[in-house]
Amino acid sequence: MANERAAIRALRSGIVPELDLGLFSVGLGTFELLVSSRVQELKAGRSGRPIVVTGEWGCGKSHCLALAGSIAIGAGAGFAGVTLNARSTPLNYPQRVYPQIASRLGAAGVKGIRELALGWMADPVALHRALSATRGGELVWALRRVSTLMQEDAIRALEAPADWATLLGSDLCWADYAYKRDRALARISQLASVLHAKGLGGLVFALDELETAAQLWNVRSRATAYHVLGSLLRMPHLVVILAATERFDRLVRADVGNGLQAQPFVTDEGAEFLRTWPAGYETFRTREPGPVEARNLCHRIASTYSVAHGFKLA
């Protein structure tokens, strides 16, 4: 009853309850199957085609990404979702994106890389065995050092500033240098590999508001954003879900039409993204629910009211 009352309070505020996303989602069966298949591919060691959720503002794209997170975590994978913003979280600066991934990462019943890492450190032998199965990197080395220190002095391990800065990304977000961008992308890849090595399949990574790439400063900034997307799509143990309005599609098509992919400052990853858009992606277009789906949703809400407040439906 307490959960139902919490759900009703959230609905009254215009928010879909996080714990009941599936219950209050209608007309999304195709999308749920699509995400479930990608998660299963991830758990099997494969990275499936990225998913693009399209539609205009207010049509449920962000809800789809939240539902994808619920499906991924429920299936035992890792999930992190980030909403892009051309000023605070621009796509061409992944060093501002990674700290949000670290804080929002959901997996194994916990949220945040710090809580997840501390749980792993309860069994240091299993953790070190898993880390040995990865290709290494800054994140892996930081995990290994903190885990080793935890066995010697837990207080010092919890306060190890450099290693926790690496895990949380606070060493990246303060500067916009190109080398910080490369390190942020490498760290996302390392995180996906560690999740895979720990039996979680990998990382389902959702990027919302992709159309904010149109607000970046110039064509070189957009070329860097395309490089970031192309780099993400090459990463093993990572499934990318993108949400964008038609504005992003028009932007990419215009840049391709102007020959951006042939410019010398465009990387191979960026050019590959431009060449494969949109044919290389699984597209799901959001839509308004039909009459039957709307009645079904109303019935679910009414049933939740009934349980929350103890009255019978007429």
Side-chain angles (χ1 to χ4, degrees):
M1 185 178 295
N3 288 340
E4 284 76 12
R5 289 184 175 179
I8 294 302
R9 287 195 298 270
L11 289 170
R12 285 173 174 168
S13 302
I15 301 170
V16 180
E18 185 175 350
L19 296 177
D20 296 296
L21 285 168
L23 178 64
F24 297 110
S25 299
V26 295
L28 296 177
T30 301
F31 179 73
E32 293 181 60
L33 290 174
L34 189 58
V35 174
S36 296
S37 68
R38 290 296 186 274
V39 174
Q40 293 308 313
E41 290 174 2
L42 198 62
K43 302 271 290 181
R46 303 187 303 272
S47 297
R49 283 203 303 167
I51 301 171
V52 179
V53 182
T54 64
E56 291 310 307
W57 287 284
C59 66
K61 298 187 302 299
S62 298
H63 177 79
C64 284
L65 298 189
L67 181 60
S70 177
I71 294 169
I73 294 172
F79 175 82
V82 173
T83 299
L84 297 171
N85 182 299
R87 298 176 72 89
S88 61
T89 318
L91 182 57
N92 57 325
Y93 287 132
Q95 55 266 55
R96 302 190 199 174
V97 173
Y98 175 79
Q100 294 194 37
I101 295 175
S103 64
R104 298 176 183 180
L105 175 65
V110 299
K111 190 167 187 178
I113 194 172
R114 186 181 183 93
E115 289 72 17
L116 188 61
L118 290 174
W120 288 340
M121 291 173 195
D123 187 348
V125 175
L127 176 59
H128 284 246
R129 187 186 305 117
L131 296 179
S132 297
T134 69
R135 296 183 177 181
E138 290 180 316
L139 184 138
V140 173
W141 300 330
L143 272 174
R144 192 184 297 275
R145 284 192 297 265
V146 174
S147 177
T148 301
L149 188 57
M150 182 70 73
Q151 300 172 61
E152 302 170 357
D153 188 335
I155 300 299
R156 286 179 58 205
L158 292 173
E159 296 176 350
D163 291 323
W164 283 113
T166 298
L167 294 171
L168 298 172
S170 57
D171 62 326
L172 296 174
C173 58
W174 60 271
D176 294 337
Y177 303 129
Y179 81 93
K180 294 280 189 182
R181 178 185 304 119
D182 295 337
R183 289 173 65 184
L185 288 172
R187 218 166 285 181
I188 295 172
S189 180
Q190 292 157 22
L191 176 59
S193 295
V194 170
L195 290 171
H196 176 74
K198 285 296 296 177
L200 295 168
L203 176 65
V204 178
F205 179 36
L207 281 171
D208 202 359
E209 306 283 354
L210 204 62
E211 65 275 5
T212 57
Q215 302 168 10
L216 297 178
W217 299 271
N218 51 46
V219 67
R220 287 180 177 267
S221 299
R222 294 201 303 276
T224 303
Y226 298 144
H227 164 76
V228 171
L229 288 172
S231 299
L232 290 172
L233 300 179
R234 289 185 174 187
M235 292 179 185
H237 313 305
L238 182 76
V239 170
V240 180
I241 304 178
L242 308 172
T245 64
E246 296 295 331
R247 184 182 185 187
F248 180 75
D249 181 63
R250 292 194 298 268
L251 176 69
V252 175
R253 291 180 184 274
D255 282 336
V256 170
N258 291 328
L260 177 60
Q261 66 274 25
Q263 294 298 318
F265 54 82
V266 176
T267 64
D268 292 342
E269 292 84 356
E272 181 179 358
F273 171 80
L274 292 170
R275 283 195 303 269
T276 57
W277 179 270
Y281 302 79
E282 192 84 44
T283 301
F284 178 82
R285 182 175 294 278
T286 56
R287 61 174 178 81
E288 292 184 1
V292 175
E293 294 164 341
R295 284 196 296 271
N296 186 16
L297 178 59
C298 289
H299 179 74
R300 294 180 187 184
I301 294 174
S303 297
T304 304
Y305 265 99
S306 175
V307 174
H309 299 290
F311 61 82
K312 294 183 179 180
L313 296 176

